[in-house]
Amino acid sequence: DAMVIQNPRYQVTQFGKPVTLSCSQTLNHNVMYWYQQKSSQAPKLLFHYYDKDFNNEADTPDNFQSRRPNTSFCFLDIRSPGLGDAAMYLCATSRVGTPPGNEQFFGPGTRLTVL
Amino acid sequence: AQSVTQLGSHVSVSEGALVLLRCNYSSSVPPYLFWYVQYPNQGLQLLLKYTTGATLVKGINGFEAEFKKSETSFHLTKPSAHMSDAAEYFCAVNYSGYSTLTFGKGTMLLVSP
């Protein structure tokens, strides 16, 4: 089945130690998104790639970076995680144009714990 | 600019009762509307969406929603709640062309036996 895969599902890191989260998709979608979701809150968009074009949200901290080496993969790098970065990180994909609505397909998420 | 308001951060129902989760939107152009469900420690799953055409939209797991332009609403309903419906529900909006989703704050649905 076509899907969005996130690895790892659970990640524990130390304060200040860089961490990379990974997302892959078999849907051949041209847009990939990274969201941060804290407990009992809506997902907050960090950035997205439309093909190779990177779009950063204005309030995304510089501590968060992303890479998209090819259509299928996208990475979220947190350069120096702080305690406030502990959250669920969701990857999503969509295909702009068809079908109408720009429906997003979400991966299962990576739960990040910062010690 | 677009926005989504979900009335009620928590809704409690008994098993077998009607489920009604409210969503109102604000959009300066014709909207596309979505309901997503999220179970604990999982990603979001699309329940249903409205883009164009029929205003009553049927989704998975027996849910449906009606787009009412005059009321700027897209409320989610299910005639009879099941224990497995307990989850967080998010309403979201975007519009024609390339645009990101704007989410509501979510409503936690609690189902009691």
Side-chain angles (χ1 to χ4, degrees):
Chain A
D1 287 343
M3 58 178 61
V4 182
I5 301 163
Q6 291 189 244
N7 286 304
R9 292 293 314 279
Y10 299 89
Q11 176 74 57
V12 180
T13 190
Q14 292 180 338
F15 182 93
K17 184 175 182 181
V19 65
T20 294
L21 309 182
S22 122
C23 177
S24 63
Q25 53 125 344
T26 60
L27 298 163
N28 199 31
H29 283 173
N30 52 359
V31 190
M32 295 186 76
Y33 309 79
W34 278 105
Y35 291 89
Q36 179 192 65
Q37 186 181 29
K38 296 190 175 180
S39 182
S40 301
Q41 296 184 21
K44 177 181 181 299
L45 183 64
L46 295 173
F47 25 59
H48 67 281
Y49 276 93
Y50 185 175
D51 293 324
K52 295 183 178 180
D53 292 334
F54 178 69
N55 298 270
N56 197 32
E57 294 300 298
D59 57 353
T60 298
D62 293 341
N63 198 26
F64 292 86
Q65 305 284 318
S66 185
R67 298 169 282 135
R68 190 180 185 186
N70 55 53
T71 301
S72 301
F73 284 86
C74 196
F75 299 97
L76 170 62
D77 301 308
I78 308 176
R79 294 192 295 185
S80 182
L83 297 178
D85 297 328
M88 174 76 91
Y89 289 87
L90 297 167
C91 175
T93 71
S94 68
R95 169 159 289 284
V96 175
T98 56
N102 198 28
E103 170 189 342
Q104 292 186 21
F105 293 79
F106 284 80
T110 295
R111 171 77 61 188
L112 178 68
T113 300
V114 181
L115 301 177
Chain B
Q2 53 200 13
S3 64
V4 177
T5 302
Q6 291 183 241
L7 190 62
S9 59
H10 292 80
V11 170
S12 295
V13 299
S14 300
E15 192 172 21
L18 171 72
V19 175
L20 171 60
L21 303 183
R22 299 178 186 273
C23 173
N24 288 88
Y25 69 90
S26 171
S27 178
S28 57
V29 297
Y32 293 153
L33 295 157
F34 306 82
W35 275 100
Y36 284 88
V37 62
Q38 186 177 33
Y39 297 99
N41 284 315
Q42 294 188 26
L44 277 67
Q45 179 184 10
L46 183 70
L47 277 176
L48 49 79
K49 66 178 181 180
Y50 168 79
T51 54
T52 57
T55 56
L56 182 62
V57 181
K58 295 187 184 298
I60 62 172
N61 301 340
F63 284 93
E64 62 181 38
E66 186 171 10
F67 170 61
K68 292 187 176 181
K69 183 178 178 180
S70 61
E71 299 177 8
T72 61
S73 70
F74 191 57
H75 301 330
L76 182 70
T77 60
K78 182 174 180 177
S80 177
H82 193 272
M83 295 295 289
S84 61
D85 295 326
E88 182 123 36
Y89 292 78
F90 292 97
C91 182
V93 64
N94 68 7
Y95 52 90
S96 178
Y98 169 53
S99 71
T100 55
L101 284 173
T102 298
F103 285 94
K105 292 187 175 181
T107 298
M108 179 67 72
L109 177 65
L110 307 169
V111 183
S112 56

